[in-house]
Amino acid sequence: MGARRLLIGAVALAVWPGVAAATDCPPLQDAAGRLEKAGYRLDYRFEPARPPVGAPFSVEVALCGPGGPGTGGLDVDADMPAHRHAMNYRPEVRQVGPGRYRAEGLLFHMPGAWRLRFAAVRAGAPPVRLDTTVTTP
Amino acid sequence: MRAALFIALALAWTPLVAAPAFTTAERQAILAHGPWPPPLEPDPSNRVSGQPAAIALGDALFHDFRLSRTGDAACAYCHDPAKDFAGSDTIARVVRVKTRTLYRNTQSLWNVRFNRWFGWAGAVDTLWGASIRPILAHDEMDADPERIARLLTDDAWLAGLYARAFGRDPVGVARDALVVDAGKALAAYQETLVSPRSAFDAFRDALAAGDAAGVAAYPAAARRGARLFVGEGRCNLCHAGQRFTHGEFEDAGVPYFIRPGLVDPGRHGGLKAFKASPYRRDGAHSDAPDSPAARLTANVRMQHRDWGAFRVPSLRRVARTPPYMHDGSLATLEDVARHYSELDEERLHADGAAILRPLKLTQAEIDDLVAFLKTL
């Protein structure tokens, strides 16, 4: 009886994608925010903790897709929709682990509401775009 | 009874005639313009940054007319220390065999060490590179690398300063290396030009500390001007941070046509020059080509709106450095305030950032804004 229950539990874990993804895609510690869309979950954290105005900063990202950690790549950018301008610099994005990315060289050159834009790259499909607003003082 | 009523009315009326308190958002925006001065970090791209011997050499070179081909110009000629390291002419003039006229306003060198980009168009991302450019520019000091190198090797005093700064005899050093070293020494000297604290800084710190007396000591007109600056004027979007500049490039609605057939492309031209510059932060002459700062500027975007955009200047000591704008076309701060008050939006870049709009200031508001600017 005990062995049967163990077998049922093991099969459930194997076929339940949410649980599989959770064990393969640990959340980002001390994340500043979480975005979810189309089966993707993206945690992000700034370094320094609050993006400065006029100085470069970095973003750490944990990306989980429907099948587990994001492996297709990640684009990161930002703009100010109200002012109709983007950042003046292209960030450098590199993968630092399974589903883990680091974007460096972001720079918010003026105070206000910036739209931080992430794009999870997928082979053979349009990227999944996840946006959030970051307001600098 | 009557006396008590009078006292009560007086107490109720007093806050209404005093300068109104700043809102939380206004206070936060004002505090973002300090504290002053910022931490002084050496420039990793310049191995002699901050070194006294290099500063001494740079000081000597800054004032040396022999750096120019005809011996009639030095860095200090246009960036006059007696005029806040700026010029007082509408445009810089270099008197040579025939007068050459430059088309951009001579900028002050105060706080230049904090820049990310140098020059009105940001043609280079190193202070030492920006120091070399005008020395070699045909329409400025018109020297050549051989002239700079000979100065350092043939003048015994300068050779001695060089040896102390760079730890080697200049004789035998490659000519191009001597040119770069001269630039780095000039940069080390200019890095010492940090402006002193101003009346605004005392006010800002008093506001941060909750020092009501310190805040009240700041002129009421300047306080009203500060409110305009960070509020309705939105000046702090571009004139942001401790230096009152975000250090990037904007279209301020000043025409970039110089004369029929001649235009100033601004940042667009600067970026083209930057791409080709041998004096870049990530270049062969940099002492830290892989630094985060080098990677940042190497990743600069070229954008359509760069055409006719110019670097936003710092407003510290702005009252001392007329005229204003990239072409020196505005003579006074009142003219600048009026420019933004009556801005012609048709002159703004069609693809540009939607930031500026005519402020439609009253004369009293213009006076307050100028009063504030005079305290920076």
Side-chain angles (χ1 to χ4, degrees):
Chain A
M1 190 69 163
R4 194 188 211 179
R5 282 180 183 170
L6 273 174
L7 180 62
I8 292 170
V11 170
L13 281 171
V15 303
W16 186 9
V19 174
T23 54
D24 293 343
C25 283
L28 191 65
Q29 276 205 327
D30 301 320
R34 168 171 290 180
L35 306 172
E36 290 175 316
K37 185 178 178 182
Y40 280 80
R41 184 192 83 209
L42 184 147
D43 294 342
Y44 61 91
R45 179 179 67 217
F46 301 115
E47 292 181 7
R50 294 183 62 184
V53 173
F57 64 95
S58 303
V59 184
E60 292 280 339
V61 173
L63 179 67
C64 294
T71 56
L74 180 73
D75 290 335
V76 182
D77 210 333
D79 63 359
M80 290 189 99
H83 295 172
R84 275 187 353 215
H85 66 77
M87 289 191 300
N88 290 334
Y89 305 90
R90 283 182 307 276
E92 292 180 343
V93 184
R94 57 190 172 90
Q95 188 163 6
V96 296
R100 294 296 174 102
Y101 300 87
R102 182 175 175 85
E104 295 179 332
L106 290 89
L107 195 150
F108 291 167
H109 60 274
M110 62 174 60
W114 286 84
R115 179 172 56 181
L116 183 59
R117 317 196 70 179
F118 300 98
V121 178
R122 304 183 294 176
V128 174
R129 301 194 181 279
L130 304 104
D131 296 344
T132 187
T133 298
V134 180
T135 302
T136 59
Chain B
M1 178 65 177
R2 191 183 279 181
L5 179 62
F6 176 79
I7 292 170
L9 281 172
L11 286 171
W13 181 251
T14 300
L16 297 177
V17 299
F22 294 105
T23 65
T24 300
E26 289 170 342
R27 180 178 180 278
Q28 188 176 43
I30 291 170
L31 294 188
H33 290 295
W36 190 263
L40 303 182
E41 305 288 348
D43 175 5
S45 79
N46 179 359
R47 67 187 183 281
V48 297
S49 171
Q51 295 182 16
I55 293 168
L57 175 60
D59 189 348
L61 292 174
F62 190 85
H63 295 86
D64 201 320
F65 281 69
R66 294 174 295 173
L67 273 179
S68 62
R69 187 177 66 81
T70 49
D72 56 8
C75 307
Y77 180 81
C78 294
H79 296 282
D80 188 347
K83 295 176 181 173
D84 277 70
F85 298 93
S88 59
D89 290 344
T90 299
I91 45 181
R93 296 177 193 276
V94 177
V95 178
R96 296 172 54 204
V97 174
K98 53 183 178 181
T99 300
R100 294 296 183 101
T101 300
L102 302 177
Y103 297 103
R104 290 181 182 167
N105 188 11
T106 303
Q107 295 184 80
S108 172
L109 297 179
W110 282 117
N111 307 313
V112 70
R113 69 176 292 152
F114 301 111
N115 285 13
R116 182 174 304 114
W117 297 99
F118 300 87
W120 282 108
V124 70
D125 60 349
T126 59
L127 179 53
W128 46 271
S131 301
I132 295 169
R133 189 204 59 76
I135 298 174
L136 300 179
H138 174 60
D139 57 354
E140 297 193 52
M141 293 167 72
D142 197 22
D144 54 64
E146 188 60 37
R147 182 177 193 83
I148 300 171
R150 275 204 320 271
L151 190 62
L152 290 173
T153 56
D154 295 355
D155 183 294
W157 181 56
L158 289 177
L161 289 177
Y162 178 94
R164 279 194 286 281
F166 291 94
R168 59 186 181 188
D169 191 321
V171 174
V173 177
R175 183 195 67 183
D176 288 348
L178 285 176
V179 171
V180 172
D181 289 347
K184 290 181 176 177
L186 282 164
Y189 164 68
Q190 292 169 82
E191 287 175 350
T192 67
L193 306 178
V194 178
S195 62
R197 285 171 54 82
S198 64
F200 168 79
D201 295 311
F203 156 69
R204 180 262 171 209
D205 291 352
L207 190 64
D211 175 4
V215 171
Y218 193 58
R223 272 181 274 145
R224 293 192 299 268
R227 165 171 282 125
L228 265 173
F229 190 87
V230 303
E232 189 60 27
R234 305 200 303 179
C235 312
N236 64 326
L237 292 185
C238 299
H239 292 285
Q242 295 156 304
R243 291 186 303 125
F244 290 88
T245 173
H246 61 25
E248 299 289 329
F249 303 81
E250 302 289 352
D251 174 12
V254 177
Y256 45 77
F257 297 100
I258 298 170
R259 63 166 187 261
L262 186 62
V263 298
D264 188 339
R267 180 54 168 163
H268 181 86
L271 280 172
K272 288 177 66 176
F274 171 67
K275 297 289 184 188
S277 174
Y279 306 128
R280 290 168 50 139
R281 194 169 281 275
D282 65 347
H285 298 296
S286 170
D287 296 309
D290 296 321
S291 68
R295 294 208 306 275
L296 177 74
T297 50
N299 286 327
V300 66
R301 283 182 159 126
M302 293 193 76
Q303 305 172 80
H304 189 246
R305 67 184 183 90
D306 290 328
W307 185 270
F310 297 89
R311 190 169 54 78
V312 175
S314 169
L315 296 181
R316 288 201 169 259
R317 297 177 78 83
V318 66
R320 296 167 176 83
T321 58
Y324 304 105
M325 316 313 271
H326 73 275
D327 58 355
S329 58
L330 300 179
T332 68
L333 289 176
E334 287 80 5
D335 291 338
V336 175
R338 206 161 282 112
H339 166 80
Y340 288 109
S341 179
E342 302 163 4
L343 191 73
D344 181 358
E345 291 176 288
E346 292 296 315
R347 288 202 154 154
L348 295 175
H349 201 301
D351 291 346
I355 298 170
L356 295 182
R357 70 224 189 286
L359 298 180
K360 300 189 191 315
L361 301 173
T362 64
Q363 185 58 51
E365 289 171 326
I366 288 175
D367 293 343
D368 288 343
L369 194 55
V370 172
F372 167 71
L373 293 174
K374 286 180 175 177
T375 70
L376 302 184

